[in-house]
Amino acid sequence: MSSELSTLITETNKCYRCMLCVEGCPVYSYLGWESSTPKGKIMLAKALDLHLVEIKSMVTPIYACTTCKHCEVICPSGVHIADIIEAIREKMVNDGYGPLPVHEKYG
């Protein structure tokens, strides 16, 4: 795992798990899955760091994020979730799990 991704995952320890990030999250509003919430993605990032999940199992929730940063604006602890998502996506691409076909046409 890259040092940047490890550093960003360490930042997830600042998350209070207050769920304020859920308010206004367009992906959660549409899908309703806990893994689609910013907090859910923080938990996935931690699980990845601890080798509790394989990165290929995270493709759908990680790529579902619009990186609109609404969660960052509302987060009282200042977690930079969009940066974490982008770093995980970079690792996914490097590991051969992205970009998704729908994203390739926007390349």
Side-chain angles (χ1 to χ4, degrees), residues 52-88:
L52 298 174
V53 296
E54 293 183 30
I55 199 160
K56 66 182 177 183
S57 69
M58 298 172 56
V59 172
T60 299
I62 294 299
Y63 273 99
C65 180
T66 66
T67 61
C68 69
K69 297 189 178 187
H70 185 283
C71 53
E72 291 183 9
V73 171
I74 201 165
C75 179
S77 58
V79 177
H80 298 282
I81 188 68
D83 293 341
I84 296 166
I85 297 297
E86 290 296 330
I88 293 172

Side-chain angles (χ1 to χ4, degrees), residues 4-89:
E4 177 191 10
L5 180 55
S6 293
T7 300
L8 288 167
I9 289 174
T10 300
E11 182 182 333
T12 65
N13 292 328
K14 296 187 325 186
C15 177
Y16 302 149
R17 290 163 194 58
C18 65
M19 298 293 286
L20 286 174
C21 57
V22 173
E23 295 178 29
C25 175
V27 178
Y28 180 71
S29 296
Y30 182 75
L31 296 176
W33 305 334
E34 185 173 353
S35 64
S36 68
T37 67
K39 181 201 142 243
K41 290 176 183 65
I42 287 172
M43 295 298 101
L44 287 172
K46 286 181 174 236
L48 177 66
D49 188 47
L50 296 171
H51 306 285
L52 298 174
V53 296
E54 293 183 30
I55 199 160
K56 66 182 177 183
S57 69
M58 298 172 56
V59 172
T60 299
I62 294 299
Y63 273 99
C65 180
T66 66
T67 61
C68 69
K69 297 189 178 187
H70 185 283
C71 53
E72 291 183 9
V73 171
I74 201 165
C75 179
S77 58
V79 177
H80 298 282
I81 188 68
D83 293 341
I84 296 166
I85 297 297
E86 290 296 330
I88 293 172
R89 286 180 181 171

Side-chain angles (χ1 to χ4, degrees), residues 95-106:
D95 290 356
Y97 296 109
L100 297 179
V102 71
H103 296 126
E104 287 178 350
K105 66 181 176 183
Y106 298 106

